[in-house]
Amino acid sequence: MLPGRTLLVATALMLGAVAIPAHGATIQIVMENLVFSPADATARVGDTIEWINKDIFAHTATARNGDFDVTMPPKKTVISVLKKAGAIEYYCRFHPNMKAVLKIDP
Ligand SMILES: [Cu+2]
């Protein structure tokens, strides 16, 4: 009937589900089959990242500028809170071909 309107409502609902009032949002970054997903994520200072490792080996999310270095054991989720703004390129120390960018707005 009104596909445009339906899409708008669906988008609003999704945004509502992600927002956590008063505190930062939670953003999930998944490691699966040696890939960070999404490879290009945006967050804000104070947001929480859930690093979800679905692989059967450990990964790290290591910022090239040294701002963070998180190790995720196999099949585990690690949580970290973003403290500093910046467009951070990061990679996995164990699998240097795994690369991604996390843009952290102030
Ligand atoms: Cu890795």
Side-chain angles (χ1 to χ4, degrees):
M1 259 175 18
L2 291 168
R5 174 166 298 209
T6 307
L7 183 63
L8 197 65
V9 171
T11 306
L13 286 174
M14 283 194 299
L15 291 174
V18 170
I20 298 171
H23 299 284
T26 298
I27 290 132
Q28 297 185 329
I29 297 179
V30 176
M31 283 132 276
E32 189 167 25
N33 300 323
L34 298 166
V35 172
F36 288 111
S37 179
D40 203 329
T42 303
R44 304 185 71 164
V45 171
D47 285 354
T48 298
I49 304 290
E50 276 183 18
W51 304 96
I52 303 169
N53 183 3
K54 294 190 171 177
D55 280 331
I56 55 165
F57 23 76
H59 294 300
T60 74
T62 304
R64 291 201 192 278
N65 71 354
D67 275 4
F68 56 79
D69 187 6
V70 185
T71 300
M72 282 71 64
K75 298 283 182 187
K76 291 276 190 280
T77 296
V78 175
I79 287 170
S80 61
V81 177
L82 301 172
K83 302 236 158 61
K84 208 174 146 193
I88 314 295
E89 292 177 39
Y90 64 95
Y91 65 103
C92 172
R93 275 187 280 117
F94 307 136
H95 314 100
N97 284 333
M98 291 176 68
K99 295 178 225 170
V101 177
L102 179 57
K103 186 170 178 290
I104 306 163
D105 294 326

